[in-house]
Amino acid sequence: MLHKIIIFVSLSNIFFSFLPFRRFFSLYLHHNYYLYMIMKRLIIFIAFVFSAILFVQAKIVLPQMFQSGMVLQRGKPVPVWGKADAGEKIIIRINKYQVAVVADAKGNFRADLPAMKAGGPYTMMVGDIALTNVYVGDVWLCSGQSNIDVTIERVYPQYPQEIDAFSNEKVRLFRVQNETDTHGVKDDIRPTSINWKPLTKENAWLFSAVGSFLGKRMYEQTGVPQGIIVNSWGGTPIEAWISKDSLMRDYPMQVKKLEIYQNDNYVRAQMQANNAASHQWDELLKASDPGYADFSCDDTQWQQINQKNWMWRGIGSVWLRQHIHIDKEHAGKPARLLLGTLFDQDITYLNGKEIGHTYYQYPPRRYDIPEGLLREGDNVIAVRFINKFGAAHFIPEKPYMIAFGDDRFSQNPMPKDVIPLSENWKFHLGAEMPSCPSSDVSLQNLPTTLYNAVLYPLAPYAISGVVWYQGESNTGNPAPYADYLKKLMGCWRDTWKDPKMPFVIVQLANYDGRQQTGFPRPITPQTEPVNSGWAQLREAQRIAAKEDPYAELAVINDLGETVDIHPLRKKEVSERIGLCFDRLVYNKKVKLSPEVVDVKLTGNNIQLILDQPIQEGDLYSFEVADQRQVFHNLPIAAIGKGNVITLLNPAIVPTAVRYAWKDNPLKANVRSLSGLPMSSFELKITK
């Protein structure tokens, strides 16, 4: 770099010497020496600034992943890459290790540090760039859709004491910023605000709960630094995370679909049109809705409804009000309103003052009531539902109350001092509206767009394993999912050039998918055999994991919630992920969920042979198929003993058996001796 500095400094003199009009200046300025010197210095200054710009541009540029505070993977070569001037020699140093590399003709460089033991903190030098507070340990990539996205803030009421105590410098969090690309792979990701931050309550508050608990768990198990990279996007299908080359042969129409959106002018115009239409719809609604938030509003003649079975299928807005009596003891105190979960948007008021709003259906409504707002005697909660599609409704199984005291932020256990809300509300129409026009250009849901923009640029950053927690968005068409999942694991391994990259596939939790479709309330549990899309997708996940020697399945069909697609027990999910990595990465002899290894038919009795003993007793949620492949409930409970499940005397000659084949298999109760649930499955029976 020194020779470049010398050249740049001399540039000013060369520039001045070769001015075509220097002779003219010499004659003109002959009698004004001071003006001559001012002009010369001005030209030297301009040349110096120009040289400085070139010098800055010549500096080494590292990918966003390489920042102070990062965690490098132990026990395997660690690639370090970036950009510099063509032919530039870059020396990389960390601890006692040093490697050198020369940038190629395009300015790209890559060098591999040798495998290192866990340790740190170190300072890592890449040329003249100093990256401080660097650790060597284990790095995990967590990807998928919204159940990876669910934050510590969302699950805080489940684990308040543990989250309050988060403090570990050796667990580092990195969040990949969402981005898409329809044209091809990117070189790097966008800058992000959570960039190798240590695990604290503040840093983790808007970070993945699964990722946070996984990092904490793995550090406690191994004692070595942990790096958690979260790269997910809510609602995205698996196709968005797979490379174009992987989809091209078997799914050419998926790739063709992407090409429609490669016209940037079209995409921009559609997005602008959608934004304009949405804004106009909102303004028209605002002008049309008279508003009923004020405490003094007369609601005596309003219709009364019960939140358990109320639904409004119109488009526009409706108002619901509830009067609640506050005694002298609670008046004026700060509190928290727990308003369950609502479909779809709400703006909520207390005594005419807005205390919270949520713009989509999934987040729990937890609205803080400031000190002094609750008055002694009559108080009014007013909820303005805004509905653009589907049917406005409550999720009645969630908590509805006003909580007081220091424990009001907890729901596990519930706060001690609460005033429950009534199930009855007063109802009034706000404003009816036409449907809001829209042309979907959600690029994140298109094939390959996320692989291009946020997956490919991460490679070849050295990692220990991948968590894949996704599938809800593919339950409408589960048939190709097993193949998609195999392609995803294959193309990611190709991208990292690591054919044995470990994957933990988190199976879909139990959930009644009818909750989000405007199904009439109350929703009765499924009891008869049904061709469940959720069960089919779980089966695809099970098969893909079973057929891959470097993948394991984390079964969580007992950790879901009937009414919530985002169950809150994320610590337990991360524990099961960790058990899978214990086996996959650390070769520990741990037992995971029970698996059927053989099916035997004795007369009409079916015996399922498992890979381990299970909790003994009566077992439920089994179905058998007849000769026409029609499934029937088993007439009596199956019996579990040792490592055998016996299905006694089906009334038909069975051709297949399946277990927990429901969206929400509440009765499924096959568990290992340690309490892990068995996966749902469908197996053919051969004589």
Coordinates of all heavy atoms in Angstrom, one line a residue, residues 2 24 47 67 72 137 236 247 269 450 456 501 552 563 596 610 630 673 682:
L2 N 2.1 1.2 0.5 CA 3.0 2.4 0.6 C 3.3 3.0 -0.7 O 3.3 4.2 -0.9 CB 4.3 2.0 1.3 CG 5.3 3.1 1.5 CD1 4.7 4.2 2.4 CD2 6.6 2.6 2.2
F24 N 0.8 29.9 -20.0 CA 0.0 31.1 -19.9 C -0.1 31.6 -18.4 O 0.1 32.8 -18.2 CB -1.5 30.8 -20.4 CG -2.4 31.9 -20.0 CD1 -2.5 33.1 -20.8 CD2 -3.3 31.8 -19.0 CE1 -3.4 34.1 -20.5 CE2 -4.2 32.8 -18.7 CZ -4.2 33.9 -19.4
A47 N -5.8 17.7 -5.9 CA -5.2 16.4 -6.3 C -5.1 15.6 -5.0 O -5.3 14.3 -5.1 CB -3.8 16.7 -6.9
Q67 N -17.4 -8.8 11.9 CA -17.4 -7.6 12.8 C -16.9 -8.0 14.1 O -16.8 -9.1 14.5 CB -18.9 -7.1 12.9 CG -19.5 -6.7 11.5 CD -20.9 -6.1 11.7 OE1 -21.0 -5.3 12.7 NE2 -21.8 -6.3 10.9
L72 N -16.3 -17.3 15.7 CA -15.7 -18.2 14.7 C -15.9 -19.6 15.1 O -15.8 -20.0 16.3 CB -14.3 -17.9 14.4 CG -14.0 -16.4 14.0 CD1 -12.5 -16.2 13.8 CD2 -14.7 -16.0 12.7
G137 N -15.8 -20.7 19.0 CA -16.7 -21.6 19.6 C -17.5 -22.3 18.6 O -17.0 -22.8 17.6
T236 N -43.0 -17.1 4.9 CA -42.3 -17.5 3.7 C -42.4 -19.0 3.4 O -42.2 -19.8 4.3 CB -40.9 -17.0 3.6 OG1 -40.2 -17.5 4.8 CG2 -40.8 -15.5 3.6
L247 N -34.2 -26.0 -8.3 CA -35.6 -26.0 -8.7 C -35.8 -26.3 -10.2 O -36.9 -26.8 -10.6 CB -36.3 -24.7 -8.3 CG -36.5 -24.5 -6.8 CD1 -37.1 -23.1 -6.6 CD2 -37.4 -25.5 -6.2
A269 N -44.0 -0.4 -9.8 CA -45.3 0.2 -10.1 C -46.4 -0.5 -9.3 O -47.3 0.1 -8.8 CB -45.6 0.1 -11.6
L450 N -35.1 -15.5 -1.4 CA -34.4 -15.4 -0.2 C -33.1 -16.2 -0.2 O -32.1 -15.7 0.4 CB -35.3 -15.9 1.0 CG -36.6 -15.2 1.2 CD1 -37.4 -15.7 2.3 CD2 -36.3 -13.7 1.4
Y456 N -27.3 -17.2 0.3 CA -26.1 -17.4 -0.5 C -24.9 -16.5 0.1 O -23.8 -16.9 0.2 CB -26.3 -17.1 -1.9 CG -25.1 -17.2 -2.8 CD1 -24.7 -18.5 -3.3 CD2 -24.3 -16.1 -3.1 CE1 -23.5 -18.6 -4.1 CE2 -23.1 -16.2 -3.9 CZ -22.8 -17.4 -4.4 OH -21.6 -17.5 -5.1
M501 N -23.1 -31.2 6.3 CA -23.6 -30.2 7.1 C -24.8 -30.7 7.9 O -25.8 -31.1 7.3 CB -24.0 -28.9 6.3 CG -24.6 -27.8 7.1 SD -25.2 -26.4 6.1 CE -23.6 -25.7 5.6
E552 N -31.7 -34.6 11.8 CA -32.5 -35.2 12.8 C -33.8 -34.4 12.9 O -33.9 -33.2 12.5 CB -31.8 -35.1 14.2 CG -30.6 -36.1 14.3 CD -31.0 -37.5 14.4 OE1 -32.2 -37.8 14.5 OE2 -30.1 -38.4 14.5
V563 N -55.0 -22.7 19.4 CA -55.5 -21.5 18.9 C -54.4 -20.5 18.4 O -54.7 -19.4 18.1 CB -56.5 -20.7 19.9 CG1 -57.7 -21.6 20.2 CG2 -55.7 -20.4 21.2
V596 N -40.9 -45.9 15.0 CA -41.3 -47.3 14.6 C -40.2 -47.8 13.7 O -39.9 -47.2 12.7 CB -42.6 -47.3 13.9 CG1 -43.0 -48.7 13.5 CG2 -43.7 -46.7 14.9
L610 N -40.7 -50.4 18.4 CA -40.1 -49.1 18.5 C -38.6 -49.3 18.8 O -38.1 -50.3 19.2 CB -40.7 -48.3 19.6 CG -42.3 -48.1 19.5 CD1 -42.8 -47.2 20.6 CD2 -42.7 -47.6 18.2
V630 N -59.3 -46.5 3.0 CA -60.1 -45.6 3.8 C -59.8 -45.8 5.3 O -59.8 -46.9 5.8 CB -61.6 -45.8 3.6 CG1 -62.4 -44.9 4.6 CG2 -62.0 -45.5 2.2
L673 N -39.5 -42.7 27.6 CA -39.4 -42.7 29.1 C -39.0 -41.4 29.6 O -39.3 -41.0 30.8 CB -38.4 -43.8 29.6 CG -38.8 -45.2 29.2 CD1 -37.7 -46.2 29.7 CD2 -40.1 -45.6 29.8
E682 N -47.5 -42.3 8.9 CA -48.4 -43.2 8.1 C -47.5 -44.3 7.5 O -46.5 -44.1 6.8 CB -49.1 -42.5 7.0 CG -50.1 -43.4 6.2 CD -50.8 -42.7 5.1 OE1 -51.3 -41.6 5.4 OE2 -51.0 -43.2 4.0

